Amino acid sequence: MKNKNLKENKEYPIMEKQLSINGHSFRIIEQGKGRVVLFCHGFPDIAETWKNQMNSLANAGYRTIALDMRGFGGSYAPSDYKFYSAKHIVDDLINMLNILNIETAALVGHDWGADHAQKAMLMRPDRFKALVSLSIPFAPRGDMSYWNFLRKNGFENKYYAFEMMGNHLEKDYLPVEKTLKNILYWLSGSPINGTGWDPVDAKRNMFRSSPVDIPEWTTNEYVKKTISWFEKTGFQTGINHYRGMQTTFDEMPELKNKLITQPSLYIWGKKDGLCRFFHPEIPTLEDLQKVHPGLIKQVVLDNVGHWPQHEAAKIVSSEIIAFLQQINY
């Protein structure tokens, strides 16, 4: 599935700037004018992952903003994982809105960006009025953290994240170019069925050598820019988003059993190994609504993996626009 850019919005070209948030510098890109849509990326990524959606939404009359999340790209990157809990991430988002004089926004998140966006919906419903989650379904906080739940169920020596969280050797992720290209390919829907990434099968890990330079659904521009930022930052501060998840659980018992009631959309790819781990069988909308009552629609994409914003860029953009046009915020 090729990623073809839509006609660029010449009236509202993408602008890049650095913002000082609580004394720390964050890089953002912005495009368009109108109701605000804030985009949050995951690991390993940067704000430009959203350029297709930003351009489409700008053409549809929205003001779109994407930031390098803390730990990535040109944004603040503390080394201590405890500074990557939801309290800190959501504070970044709220203070960014304050600096830009924005009262309310819709949130679009992918991967860890989706998890953080979901926490933001729970913590600040006064500021965040609608949610689009890519590749990560919402699950309310229970009695046990996600990491401890996996340990209890025998996944500590299988689930990919445990090895990443314990590995502080940056050299194991070098060269950056090879690592990023491998991850892009194996997490996508491009590999032959049965060979793509499986988060609990070491033989199908994300670091295997890719058989292609870059998949056809992405662009050299995006890949080169992503590589250039990770050559500066490394991977460890990005991995801190995994390490900080337990801190979020420990810091915020008030989130237990709290549900997202704001209008929401969930988009995921059938060939995404992570989503198939979360729900091996395709859930019904009614099943998802039991823990996510604000969910309006689920979009399941054929032959798409973990990067729907790239692999099915036009479909994702059109689904987001259709969703936002239904609601007021």
Side-chain angles (χ1 to χ4, degrees), residues 307-326:
W307 313 105
Q309 70 270 38
H310 295 279
E311 297 177 68
K314 289 185 178 181
I315 296 174
V316 169
S317 296
S318 64
E319 289 288 352
I320 294 173
I321 291 169
F323 165 70
L324 293 176
Q325 288 176 341
Q326 296 179 58

Side-chain angles (χ1 to χ4, degrees), residues 14 46 56 131 166 179-180 195 199 203 242 246-248 273 298 326:
I14 284 187
I46 57 173
S56 294
L131 170 70
T179 295
L180 282 172
T195 68
K203 293 181 180 179
Y242 293 84
Q246 182 65 42
T247 304
T248 295
Q298 171 188 213
Q326 296 179 58

Side-chain angles (χ1 to χ4, degrees), residues 188-307:
S188 77
S190 296
I192 298 170
N193 287 341
T195 68
W197 177 56
D198 185 328
V200 293
D201 185 349
K203 293 181 180 179
R204 291 170 58 180
N205 70 78
M206 67 178 75
F207 300 111
R208 292 168 287 162
S209 292
S210 170
V212 301
D213 183 43
I214 64 170
E216 65 172 4
W217 45 260
T218 191
T219 65
N220 278 308
E221 177 189 11
Y222 163 72
V223 173
K224 287 179 180 178
K225 185 140 194 169
T226 307
I227 290 169
S228 69
W229 275 117
F230 276 91
E231 286 177 340
K232 296 174 183 176
T233 65
F235 290 91
Q236 291 299 338
T237 53
I239 295 172
N240 276 342
H241 286 263
Y242 293 84
R243 300 178 181 125
M245 191 178 188
Q246 182 65 42
T247 304
T248 295
F249 182 87
D250 296 338
E251 287 180 342
M252 307 199 72
E254 66 271 20
L255 293 185
K256 182 180 177 181
N257 297 327
K258 199 169 182 180
L259 305 180
I260 296 174
T261 58
Q262 298 98 312
S264 305
L265 171 67
Y266 173 40
I267 302 173
W268 61 284
K270 278 187 180 179
K271 294 184 73 174
D272 185 345
L274 191 61
C275 287
R276 297 318 295 256
F277 179 75
F278 292 144
H279 30 65
E281 301 295 329
I282 297 176
T284 65
L285 180 62
E286 291 73 20
D287 287 337
L288 294 170
Q289 287 171 333
K290 291 175 183 177
V291 295
H292 192 164
L295 191 65
I296 292 174
K297 186 178 182 181
Q298 171 188 213
V299 178
V300 186
L301 300 167
D302 290 326
N303 300 313
V304 171
H306 191 63
W307 313 105

Side-chain angles (χ1 to χ4, degrees), residues 20-236:
S20 178
I21 300 176
N22 290 336
H24 303 296
S25 185
F26 284 76
R27 186 178 77 97
I28 73 165
I29 57 176
E30 182 174 352
Q31 185 179 13
K33 184 177 181 180
R35 289 189 293 166
V36 175
V37 183
L38 175 57
F39 292 86
C40 303
H41 68 79
F43 175 89
D45 222 333
I46 57 173
E48 276 76 8
T49 197
W50 298 112
K51 283 185 73 174
N52 280 285
Q53 285 70 48
M54 291 178 69
N55 189 62
S56 294
L57 268 69
N59 286 330
Y62 292 89
R63 180 183 178 187
T64 62
I65 303 168
L67 75 160
D68 286 345
M69 304 293 284
R70 67 166 55 201
F72 296 98
S75 290
Y76 174 54
S79 59
D80 188 339
Y81 71 88
K82 292 181 181 178
F83 291 105
Y84 290 80
S85 70
K87 281 187 176 180
H88 294 286
I89 304 295
V90 174
D91 190 59
D92 293 342
L93 303 180
I94 290 294
N95 280 286
M96 187 179 72
L97 294 186
N98 292 341
I99 290 167
L100 296 174
N101 295 313
I102 297 168
E103 186 63 30
T104 60
L107 277 175
V108 180
H110 171 248
D111 189 75
W112 276 109
D115 184 79
H116 294 312
Q118 292 162 6
K119 298 295 193 301
M121 303 303 286
L122 297 173
M123 294 165 63
R124 294 303 302 267
D126 58 320
R127 305 297 295 274
F128 299 115
K129 300 299 185 177
L131 170 70
V132 181
S133 296
L134 273 65
S135 308
I136 301 290
F138 173 69
R141 182 195 191 277
D143 293 316
M144 186 180 299
S145 74
Y146 181 60
W147 299 141
N148 286 336
F149 171 81
L150 290 175
R151 291 185 180 101
K152 182 181 178 181
N153 287 276
F155 287 103
E156 185 168 10
N157 295 320
K158 297 179 180 179
Y159 195 71
Y160 79 104
F162 288 109
E163 181 177 356
M164 288 175 59
M165 288 189 287
N167 185 1
H168 293 268
L169 300 176
E170 189 64 34
K171 67 178 180 61
D172 289 347
Y173 300 103
L174 301 178
V176 166
E177 179 176 357
K178 181 178 179 181
T179 295
L180 282 172
K181 288 182 176 181
N182 291 344
I183 292 173
L184 277 176
Y185 176 78
W186 289 114
L187 267 63
S188 77
S190 296
I192 298 170
N193 287 341
T195 68
W197 177 56
D198 185 328
V200 293
D201 185 349
K203 293 181 180 179
R204 291 170 58 180
N205 70 78
M206 67 178 75
F207 300 111
R208 292 168 287 162
S209 292
S210 170
V212 301
D213 183 43
I214 64 170
E216 65 172 4
W217 45 260
T218 191
T219 65
N220 278 308
E221 177 189 11
Y222 163 72
V223 173
K224 287 179 180 178
K225 185 140 194 169
T226 307
I227 290 169
S228 69
W229 275 117
F230 276 91
E231 286 177 340
K232 296 174 183 176
T233 65
F235 290 91
Q236 291 299 338

